[in-house]
Amino acid sequence: MTLRERSAASMLRDLDRIEEDVVAPAVDRAVREFVDTVNTAANYGIRQAPSTQSIVAALTPGAEKVWPLTVGTLSSWWETFVNDFVIAAVRAAWRAGYGATSDGEETVSSLDNLDEYVARVSDRLVRGLVPPLPEFAMDLVRIAVTLAASFGWSNNELSARIAADLDWETDGAYWRSEYERFTVQIEAILDPLGPPGTPAREQARESDPRVALLQQQRTRARLALDNEQSYWQTRAQRIARTESTGAYNAAGLAALADEGEAEKVWIATEDARTRPSHAAADRQVQPLTAPFEVGTSALLIPGDPTGPPHETVNCRCTMVGASVLF
């Protein structure tokens, strides 16, 4: 590996460090604070409501709310946590990318670029995530409440279900108990029909709608139990990686312009997790203001926030000026 190639490799290592040490902890905290706040508010509403049915009524569009749990409320909480924790980390990632590409001081135009980029990040995280975190959290609460009403759960059982759905850590205790609970309910239906293999029992196992529903619920519990990470941890990791890459490379582009570079080079992370389209783009050279051709997409930088999710989410690539490699 030449000195110039080592310089490109050091940028990839720097990007990993920024993501792990700066952006990921900030995103983790924002997501943790958000799900904790939603869980606290949901449990407050459960304690205040006289019955599960009243909670169902409260979550019906147009109904008078028994507590302030709406998508709008959740969105305002998420926006607050993004601004409180994530934006500063994105700024730090941008400055790290600029410093890795340029030896000079940030210029007025590059700082304007930073402010514009941060504004786009804030808007994307608050309104552009798919699915949006506030809407997904609200859907989890609605589903839990609907199941509670259908199966006659107590408010304590409903509270436990919502807490499990919004849990950052996955210890398996709740979903293990749910798996066992559904198994007991299935056996309560089938056991009176005879031992395993009895025609009546087998027919009920295959065609009884009550058994089919319980089996589906038990399967979901099993899948949740097998999942090593919670949904929220996975989303936080994806957000951190995507925003680190985007900010780092947006700063790199600004620095290359300040340095007077005419061309840029796409540098892919060379391992089994790299997308084929990104591996194919490795060492691709383009004029500074022209996009890279990545698969069927045109990306100005790796992690381009205007690019499609399938080419930008979890991207770990970077770029350098052509003079670094050639």
Side-chain angles (χ1 to χ4, degrees), residues 138-154:
M138 191 67 182
D139 285 344
L140 288 178
V141 174
R142 287 194 182 110
I143 290 169
V145 169
T146 301
L147 289 173
S150 300
F151 292 99
W153 296 350
S154 68

Side-chain angles (χ1 to χ4, degrees), residues 41 44-45 65-74 77 138:
Y44 171 79
K65 306 300 178 185
V66 294
W67 80 99
L69 200 62
T70 65
V71 172
T73 301
L74 269 59
W77 292 340
M138 191 67 182

Side-chain angles (χ1 to χ4, degrees), residues 174-256:
Y174 173 79
W175 290 112
R176 189 173 295 107
S177 67
E178 284 292 274
Y179 182 88
E180 293 170 354
R181 183 167 72 88
F182 293 133
T183 298
V184 169
Q185 291 181 15
I186 291 170
E187 291 174 348
I189 296 172
L190 298 181
D191 283 352
L193 302 177
T198 302
R201 180 187 178 109
E202 292 304 304
Q203 182 179 2
R205 185 177 63 82
E206 295 176 2
S207 59
D208 190 312
R210 297 172 300 166
V211 173
L213 178 60
L214 289 168
Q215 287 173 333
Q216 291 173 5
Q217 293 173 322
R218 185 173 66 174
T219 297
R220 283 197 292 270
R222 178 73 260 175
L223 291 174
L225 183 60
D226 290 341
N227 189 10
E228 293 181 358
Q229 287 187 316
S230 73
Y231 169 87
W232 304 104
Q233 289 172 304
T234 302
R235 283 305 300 276
Q237 288 178 350
R238 188 179 304 153
I239 292 169
R241 168 52 64 184
T242 302
E243 297 305 339
S244 298
T245 300
Y248 192 91
N249 286 299
L253 187 65
L256 291 175

Side-chain angles (χ1 to χ4, degrees), residues 19-309:
E19 191 255 328
E20 292 176 3
D21 296 345
V22 178
V23 181
V27 175
D28 285 1
R29 184 172 180 186
V31 177
R32 282 176 184 263
E33 294 277 357
F34 173 70
V35 295
D36 284 348
T37 301
V38 177
N39 187 32
T40 298
N43 277 285
Y44 171 79
I46 292 168
R47 290 193 301 272
Q48 295 297 108
S51 68
T52 300
Q53 292 294 341
S54 66
I55 299 175
V56 174
L59 292 178
T60 302
E64 182 179 351
K65 306 300 178 185
V66 294
W67 80 99
L69 200 62
T70 65
V71 172
T73 301
L74 269 59
S75 295
S76 69
W77 292 340
W78 173 237
E79 183 172 10
T80 295
F81 296 133
V82 166
N83 291 329
D84 285 351
F85 305 120
V86 181
I87 295 306
V90 170
R91 286 184 176 275
W94 192 99
R95 286 199 153 92
Y98 191 95
T101 307
S102 171
D103 293 330
E105 294 291 326
E106 297 156 355
T107 64
V108 172
S109 62
S110 66
L111 290 174
D112 286 343
N113 174 284
L114 168 58
D115 289 339
E116 292 172 5
Y117 187 82
V118 165
R120 290 200 301 272
V121 168
S122 179
D123 185 69
R124 183 170 65 251
L125 288 177
V126 173
R127 283 169 281 275
L129 292 179
V130 180
L133 263 66
E135 291 183 19
F136 183 78
M138 191 67 182
D139 285 344
L140 288 178
V141 174
R142 287 194 182 110
I143 290 169
V145 169
T146 301
L147 289 173
S150 300
F151 292 99
W153 296 350
S154 68
N155 284 5
N156 285 339
E157 289 173 318
L158 171 58
S159 176
R161 170 60 184 259
I162 291 175
D165 285 341
L166 295 172
D167 194 11
W168 174 267
E169 305 291 349
T170 303
D171 61 11
Y174 173 79
W175 290 112
R176 189 173 295 107
S177 67
E178 284 292 274
Y179 182 88
E180 293 170 354
R181 183 167 72 88
F182 293 133
T183 298
V184 169
Q185 291 181 15
I186 291 170
E187 291 174 348
I189 296 172
L190 298 181
D191 283 352
L193 302 177
T198 302
R201 180 187 178 109
E202 292 304 304
Q203 182 179 2
R205 185 177 63 82
E206 295 176 2
S207 59
D208 190 312
R210 297 172 300 166
V211 173
L213 178 60
L214 289 168
Q215 287 173 333
Q216 291 173 5
Q217 293 173 322
R218 185 173 66 174
T219 297
R220 283 197 292 270
R222 178 73 260 175
L223 291 174
L225 183 60
D226 290 341
N227 189 10
E228 293 181 358
Q229 287 187 316
S230 73
Y231 169 87
W232 304 104
Q233 289 172 304
T234 302
R235 283 305 300 276
Q237 288 178 350
R238 188 179 304 153
I239 292 169
R241 168 52 64 184
T242 302
E243 297 305 339
S244 298
T245 300
Y248 192 91
N249 286 299
L253 187 65
L256 291 175
D258 288 345
E259 293 287 305
E261 283 277 1
E263 295 180 315
K264 60 192 177 185
V265 185
W266 184 287
I267 303 295
T269 300
E270 298 178 352
D271 61 28
R273 292 189 293 150
T274 300
R275 296 171 174 88
S277 57
H278 291 205
D282 191 36
R283 305 306 174 93
Q284 183 184 139
V285 182
Q286 292 289 353
L288 204 62
T289 57
F292 293 104
E293 297 174 2
V294 184
T296 59
S297 301
L299 305 180
L300 193 61
I301 56 173
D304 187 342
T306 65

